[in-house]
Amino acid sequence: MTTTKFHPEVYTQALTSESVSYASPSNIALIKYWGKHGVQIPKNPSISFTLDTCKTTTKLSYVKREKITDEYELKVILDGKHKPGFEPKIYQFFGRIQSYLPFVKDYEFTIETSNSFPHSSGIASSASGLSALALCLMEMEREMQPEMTLKHFNQKASFIARLGSGSGCRSLEGPLVVWGEHAEIKGSSDLYGVQYPYEINPVFDNYQDAILLVDKGEKPVSSTVGHNLMHNHAYAASRFEQAVVNLSKLIPMLKTGDLDGFVRLVESEALTLHSMMLTSDPYFILMKPNTLHIIDKIWEYRRETGIPVCFTLDAGANVHVLFPDKDKEQVHEFIKNNLSKYCQDNRYIFDSVGSGAIKL
Ligand code: PMV
């Protein structure tokens, strides 16, 4: 694992553009990343579906600075409003990427951003936001180094996104992205996400993800704190090994379209993630009573209909409901009629698997 290839070559062209825009989606992990070391190096490999509708759109504008200092100059605008509260995080991100994209010191940046999903919906915008910003910065570098290959562009953009948001490095491509070294996944790396390289059964085409917004409140424990609690966690070592084994098990399921196996594995991963939280020291709970009501109802519906609908969770109370495209109409009805009452303000988002970020 070496980061040397991400240090810049000598730039051969001048930058003449003044802005660049990208839309980058959120993603939902099937095998979860929970626990890291160094600067966002995962303790185990993970794999996620890239989403389609839930995304961040970012316009990055830049003006050459007259006087270059050790400080960065940046301004964050969310939905047209200046948000100084978001700037320290981006400032820290610039510090981390400085040696890979040294021009971040040379410009005054304005980052205009907006999310397709509602504010305080409990959907984290850091994965989509940081991946969109990483792509904008990489587009600047590509202009100055046009001979850069597409492979290098994608790898480095994911590498840069990872330095801002670990899981954000899985948002650039689709439909499935692996992050973290795994012996059976060719090209996989702890440093960046790679498109899942093997056969995917058509049953997963346009796979559906309905996001049930259970709680929009501030989370009692942030992801950063949660990851750190894996350091001295009694079950950490076996959890990290289990994720490796689970990814091996998923490969043939994706190939053959074994949805029974898929459902069991995905739900088990979600509950394992939350069981790591329950058994941290200090322990914490991010699920809410309605999270469990929804899980119960999904199990009942699956038993009664035989439709392979399953749930997964990220670090919060919201429930992602996953199901094949062909069952969409029936499951949407079930969600509207039977699950929406467990959502805060009856809110949910019907999304599906997408193909990654796009330049606008
Ligand atoms: O990227 P982070 O630090 O917000 O961590 C994300 C962790 C989970 O969403 C819980 C799991 C995952 O792999 O996305």
Side-chain angles (χ1 to χ4, degrees), residues 298-313:
I298 289 173
W299 285 345
E300 190 182 296
Y301 180 77
R302 190 164 75 222
R303 258 195 322 270
E304 284 171 1
T305 62
I307 294 177
V309 52
C310 70
F311 71 86
T312 188
L313 308 166

Side-chain angles (χ1 to χ4, degrees), residues 27-36 40 44-48 89 124 126-127 162 164-170 179 219 222-224 227 239 269 273-274 277 286 313-316:
N27 66 72
I28 181 68
L30 304 173
I31 300 209
K32 309 289 181 182
Y33 148 62
W34 196 244
K36 59 180 169 181
Q40 325 262 68
N44 65 258
S46 58
I47 183 168
S48 50
K89 188 170 176 185
S126 53
R162 187 200 98 238
S165 154
S167 60
C169 79
R170 297 188 312 233
W179 169 40
K219 285 195 285 184
S222 70
S223 278
T224 311
H227 282 291
R239 161 58 197 155
E269 272 290 318
L273 167 71
H274 283 259
M277 300 173 189
L286 296 184
L313 308 166
D314 52 20

Side-chain angles (χ1 to χ4, degrees), residues 64 66 99-100 195:
K64 192 104 186 174
E66 280 173 18
S99 54
Y100 306 105
Q195 217 170 13

Side-chain angles (χ1 to χ4, degrees), residues 11-160:
Y11 296 140
T12 53
Q13 301 291 320
L15 187 76
T16 54
S17 63
E18 291 170 355
S19 70
V20 58
S21 302
Y22 263 92
S24 190
S26 188
N27 66 72
I28 181 68
L30 304 173
I31 300 209
K32 309 289 181 182
Y33 148 62
W34 196 244
K36 59 180 169 181
H37 60 108
V39 185
Q40 325 262 68
I41 299 295
K43 290 292 248 178
N44 65 258
S46 58
I47 183 168
S48 50
F49 273 142
T50 306
L51 297 185
D52 186 46
T53 308
C54 287
K55 58 181 172 228
T56 299
T57 300
T58 295
K59 178 180 180 194
L60 182 68
S61 310
Y62 28 90
V63 179
K64 192 104 186 174
R65 293 171 73 185
E66 280 173 18
K67 188 162 162 268
I68 295 165
T69 66
D70 278 347
E71 307 288 307
Y72 303 113
E73 263 190 69
L74 58 93
K75 190 172 184 182
V76 177
I77 296 177
L78 175 69
D79 295 331
K81 289 197 194 83
H82 182 204
K83 293 279 178 184
F86 291 165
E87 287 163 7
K89 188 170 176 185
I90 307 296
Y91 202 93
Q92 184 197 29
F93 170 59
F94 274 25
R96 285 183 183 173
I97 65 174
Q98 162 78 49
S99 54
Y100 306 105
L101 298 174
F103 58 85
V104 289
K105 274 251 162 76
D106 303 345
Y107 292 85
E108 185 189 323
F109 292 96
T110 305
I111 303 157
E112 288 170 87
T113 189
S114 62
N115 298 319
S116 66
F117 41 89
H119 269 326
S120 62
S121 56
I123 300 179
S125 59
S126 53
S128 50
L130 268 299
S131 56
L133 180 57
L135 282 159
C136 290
L137 291 164
M138 279 305 296
E139 205 57 54
M140 292 175 73
E141 179 161 80
R142 176 151 65 182
E143 190 180 331
M144 295 183 279
Q145 206 184 309
E147 57 283 4
M148 180 188 299
T149 64
L150 182 61
K151 183 175 173 198
H152 181 80
F153 178 90
N154 286 337
Q155 280 186 356
K156 185 166 173 180
S158 176
F159 170 87
I160 295 291

